[in-house]
Amino acid sequence: MVQNNVSKISDLVMNMLTYSKEREPEIESCSPNDIAQGVCDLMEETARKSKIRLVKDFDLSIDTCYLDPNGLYRSLLNLVTNAIDACAFDPDKEKDWSVVIKTHKEKNGIRFDVIDNGMGMSKDVQEKLFERFFSTKGSKGSGFGLLVSRKMIEEHGGTITFSSEPGKGTTFTIELPHKTPET
Protein backbone atom coordinates (compact mmCIF):
# COMPACT_ATOMS: atom_id res chain seq x y z
CA MET A 1 0.00 0.00 0.00
CA VAL A 2 2.85 2.39 0.87
CA GLN A 3 4.63 1.63 -2.43
CA ASN A 4 1.43 2.27 -4.36
CA ASN A 5 0.90 5.64 -2.65
CA VAL A 6 4.56 6.65 -3.09
CA SER A 7 4.18 5.93 -6.82
CA LYS A 8 0.99 8.04 -7.02
CA ILE A 9 2.62 10.94 -5.18
CA SER A 10 5.72 10.71 -7.37
CA ASP A 11 3.58 10.76 -10.54
CA LEU A 12 1.62 13.76 -9.25
CA VAL A 13 4.78 15.71 -8.39
CA MET A 14 6.34 14.91 -11.78
CA ASN A 15 3.17 16.04 -13.58
CA MET A 16 3.07 19.27 -11.58
CA LEU A 17 6.74 19.98 -12.31
CA THR A 18 6.34 19.21 -16.01
CA TYR A 19 3.27 21.42 -16.25
CA SER A 20 4.78 24.37 -14.40
CA LYS A 21 8.26 24.35 -15.92
CA GLU A 22 9.29 25.49 -19.39
CA ARG A 23 10.74 22.48 -21.14
CA GLU A 24 12.53 21.97 -24.41
CA PRO A 25 11.71 18.65 -26.06
CA GLU A 26 14.70 16.33 -26.16
CA ILE A 27 14.66 15.40 -29.83
CA GLU A 28 16.48 12.23 -30.83
CA SER A 29 16.31 9.46 -33.39
CA CYS A 30 13.77 6.88 -32.25
CA SER A 31 11.04 4.54 -33.42
CA PRO A 32 7.48 5.77 -32.83
CA ASN A 33 6.24 2.17 -33.04
CA ASP A 34 8.74 1.09 -30.36
CA ILE A 35 7.49 3.89 -28.09
CA ALA A 36 3.87 2.82 -28.62
CA GLN A 37 4.89 -0.83 -28.07
CA GLY A 38 6.54 0.11 -24.77
CA VAL A 39 3.31 1.71 -23.56
CA CYS A 40 1.35 -1.39 -24.62
CA ASP A 41 3.80 -3.68 -22.83
CA LEU A 42 3.47 -1.66 -19.62
CA MET A 43 -0.35 -1.51 -19.72
CA GLU A 44 -1.06 -5.05 -20.97
CA GLU A 45 -1.48 -6.57 -17.51
CA THR A 46 -3.64 -3.70 -16.24
CA ALA A 47 -5.92 -4.05 -19.27
CA ARG A 48 -6.10 -7.83 -18.93
CA LYS A 49 -7.07 -7.63 -15.26
CA SER A 50 -9.96 -5.32 -16.21
CA LYS A 51 -11.01 -7.63 -19.08
CA ILE A 52 -10.07 -5.02 -21.68
CA ARG A 53 -8.49 -6.05 -24.95
CA LEU A 54 -5.43 -3.96 -25.86
CA VAL A 55 -5.10 -3.82 -29.65
CA LYS A 56 -1.98 -2.65 -31.48
CA ASP A 57 -2.44 -1.31 -35.01
CA PHE A 58 0.99 0.00 -35.98
CA ASP A 59 1.87 1.36 -39.41
CA LEU A 60 4.92 -0.74 -40.30
CA SER A 61 6.04 1.79 -42.92
CA ILE A 62 7.07 4.14 -40.08
CA ASP A 63 10.84 4.10 -39.74
CA THR A 64 12.94 5.90 -37.18
CA CYS A 65 12.36 9.61 -36.95
CA TYR A 66 13.30 12.54 -34.72
CA LEU A 67 10.98 12.93 -31.75
CA ASP A 68 11.04 13.54 -28.02
CA PRO A 69 10.66 9.87 -26.99
CA ASN A 70 10.15 10.57 -23.28
CA GLY A 71 7.50 13.23 -23.83
CA LEU A 72 5.70 11.07 -26.39
CA TYR A 73 5.87 8.02 -24.10
CA ARG A 74 4.40 9.92 -21.14
CA SER A 75 1.65 11.39 -23.32
CA LEU A 76 0.68 8.05 -24.85
CA LEU A 77 0.85 6.35 -21.46
CA ASN A 78 -1.55 8.93 -20.04
CA LEU A 79 -3.99 8.48 -22.92
CA VAL A 80 -3.91 4.69 -22.73
CA THR A 81 -4.36 4.79 -18.94
CA ASN A 82 -7.36 7.09 -19.37
CA ALA A 83 -8.81 4.84 -22.09
CA ILE A 84 -8.50 1.76 -19.87
CA ASP A 85 -10.18 3.66 -17.04
CA ALA A 86 -12.99 4.76 -19.38
CA CYS A 87 -13.67 1.10 -20.12
CA ALA A 88 -13.26 -0.09 -16.53
CA PHE A 89 -15.66 2.60 -15.21
CA ASP A 90 -18.21 1.99 -17.98
CA PRO A 91 -21.57 1.11 -16.40
CA ASP A 92 -22.44 -1.09 -19.43
CA LYS A 93 -20.98 -4.38 -18.17
CA GLU A 94 -22.17 -6.25 -21.30
CA LYS A 95 -19.56 -4.67 -23.61
CA ASP A 96 -16.45 -6.33 -24.92
CA TRP A 97 -14.10 -3.46 -24.12
CA SER A 98 -11.08 -2.63 -26.17
CA VAL A 99 -8.42 0.04 -26.39
CA VAL A 100 -6.73 0.44 -29.76
CA ILE A 101 -3.33 2.09 -30.08
CA LYS A 102 -2.74 3.10 -33.67
CA THR A 103 0.23 4.69 -35.42
CA HIS A 104 0.07 6.19 -38.89
CA LYS A 105 2.65 7.81 -41.12
CA GLU A 106 1.39 11.03 -42.66
CA LYS A 107 2.84 13.33 -45.30
CA ASN A 108 4.10 15.87 -42.76
CA GLY A 109 4.50 13.75 -39.64
CA ILE A 110 3.26 10.92 -37.47
CA ARG A 111 -0.22 10.39 -36.04
CA PHE A 112 -1.11 8.35 -32.95
CA ASP A 113 -4.69 7.40 -32.11
CA VAL A 114 -5.86 5.95 -28.80
CA ILE A 115 -9.39 4.65 -29.31
CA ASP A 116 -11.61 3.15 -26.61
CA ASN A 117 -15.18 1.90 -26.61
CA GLY A 118 -15.72 2.82 -22.97
CA MET A 119 -18.18 5.18 -21.38
CA GLY A 120 -17.41 8.22 -23.54
CA MET A 121 -17.78 11.80 -22.35
CA SER A 122 -20.72 14.16 -22.05
CA LYS A 123 -20.51 17.61 -23.67
CA ASP A 124 -20.00 19.12 -20.21
CA VAL A 125 -16.99 16.87 -19.51
CA GLN A 126 -15.57 17.55 -22.98
CA GLU A 127 -15.72 21.31 -22.37
CA LYS A 128 -13.77 20.98 -19.08
CA LEU A 129 -11.33 18.31 -20.22
CA PHE A 130 -8.20 20.47 -20.38
CA GLU A 131 -8.97 22.57 -17.29
CA ARG A 132 -6.52 22.41 -14.44
CA PHE A 133 -7.52 20.00 -11.64
CA PHE A 134 -10.54 18.71 -13.58
CA SER A 135 -10.89 14.93 -13.33
CA THR A 136 -13.71 12.47 -13.83
CA LYS A 137 -11.87 9.93 -11.66
CA GLY A 138 -12.71 11.49 -8.30
CA SER A 139 -9.89 11.00 -5.79
CA LYS A 140 -8.09 8.69 -8.24
CA GLY A 141 -7.28 11.52 -10.65
CA SER A 142 -5.25 14.70 -10.21
CA GLY A 143 -6.53 16.64 -13.21
CA PHE A 144 -2.96 17.10 -14.50
CA GLY A 145 -2.52 14.15 -16.88
CA LEU A 146 -4.14 15.61 -19.98
CA LEU A 147 -2.74 19.08 -19.28
CA VAL A 148 0.78 17.67 -19.12
CA SER A 149 0.22 15.57 -22.25
CA ARG A 150 -1.09 18.56 -24.20
CA LYS A 151 1.81 20.74 -23.01
CA MET A 152 4.44 18.19 -24.06
CA ILE A 153 2.81 17.62 -27.46
CA GLU A 154 2.47 21.36 -28.12
CA GLU A 155 6.12 21.94 -27.08
CA HIS A 156 6.98 19.43 -29.77
CA GLY A 157 5.01 21.47 -32.33
CA GLY A 158 2.17 18.94 -32.42
CA THR A 159 -1.50 18.84 -31.54
CA ILE A 160 -3.73 16.66 -29.39
CA THR A 161 -7.43 16.44 -30.23
CA PHE A 162 -10.32 14.19 -29.28
CA SER A 163 -13.81 13.11 -30.23
CA SER A 164 -16.20 11.35 -27.90
CA GLU A 165 -19.74 10.09 -27.71
CA PRO A 166 -21.38 9.17 -24.41
CA GLY A 167 -21.80 5.41 -24.08
CA LYS A 168 -19.77 4.70 -27.22
CA GLY A 169 -16.20 5.74 -26.44
CA THR A 170 -13.48 8.27 -27.13
CA THR A 171 -10.65 8.77 -29.61
CA PHE A 172 -7.62 10.89 -28.78
CA THR A 173 -5.31 11.85 -31.63
CA ILE A 174 -1.74 13.12 -31.35
CA GLU A 175 -0.20 14.59 -34.48
CA LEU A 176 3.51 15.35 -34.51
CA PRO A 177 5.40 17.06 -37.32
CA HIS A 178 8.54 15.59 -38.84
CA LYS A 179 11.61 16.92 -37.06
CA THR A 180 15.27 16.99 -37.98
CA PRO A 181 18.18 16.67 -35.56
CA GLU A 182 18.51 20.47 -35.57
CA THR A 183 14.83 21.26 -34.70
Side-chain angles (χ1 to χ4, degrees):
M1 187 169 99
V2 169
Q3 274 183 318
N4 189 29
N5 286 328
V6 167
S7 175
K8 285 181 180 179
I9 291 169
S10 175
D11 288 345
L12 176 61
V13 169
M14 288 305 296
N15 278 338
M16 289 172 71
L17 287 172
T18 301
Y19 181 70
S20 65
K21 183 179 170 187
E22 279 300 315
R23 176 184 168 278
E24 279 295 317
E26 296 177 21
I27 306 298
E28 60 186 72
S29 178
C30 59
S31 166
N33 287 338
D34 287 351
I35 294 167
Q37 181 65 53
V39 170
C40 290
D41 291 345
L42 180 65
M43 298 308 294
E44 186 73 45
E45 182 67 14
T46 302
R48 189 187 60 73
K49 283 181 180 177
S50 297
K51 297 180 172 75
I52 300 165
R53 199 166 40 96
L54 204 54
V55 180
K56 297 173 278 193
D57 183 5
F58 299 162
D59 182 342
L60 300 180
S61 72
I62 299 173
D63 201 2
T64 57
C65 54
Y66 290 92
L67 298 170
D68 175 7
N70 294 326
L72 176 58
Y73 181 88
R74 285 187 62 196
S75 297
L76 281 175
L77 179 59
N78 181 58
L79 296 181
V80 171
T81 299
N82 287 350
I84 289 172
D85 288 345
C87 292
F89 298 150
D90 190 347
D92 181 356
K93 300 302 177 193
E94 300 300 314
K95 275 188 196 172
D96 288 323
W97 293 295
S98 65
V99 173
V100 178
I101 298 90
K102 201 176 205 182
T103 63
H104 183 72
K105 186 176 186 175
E106 296 191 321
K107 182 179 178 185
N108 295 319
I110 306 291
R111 188 180 80 225
F112 301 84
D113 294 309
V114 177
I115 307 158
D116 72 70
N117 66 341
M119 56 196 270
M121 295 181 281
S122 69
K123 290 290 181 201
D124 186 49
V125 168
Q126 291 179 43
E127 289 171 7
K128 296 177 183 176
L129 202 56
F130 289 104
E131 288 182 13
R132 208 170 0 170
F133 304 120
F134 177 76
S135 176
T136 59
K137 299 178 188 180
S139 63
K140 293 184 179 195
S142 67
F144 270 109
L146 284 175
L147 282 174
V148 168
S149 295
R150 182 173 70 179
K151 182 177 185 281
M152 286 190 286
I153 296 305
E154 287 177 351
E155 287 170 342
H156 196 289
T159 60
I160 182 169
T161 57
F162 68 92
S163 63
S164 185
E165 192 173 336
K168 300 212 186 232
T170 301
T171 298
F172 273 89
T173 300
I174 294 173
E175 293 180 285
L176 297 174
H178 285 296
K179 295 278 186 181
T180 63
E182 297 81 38
T183 60

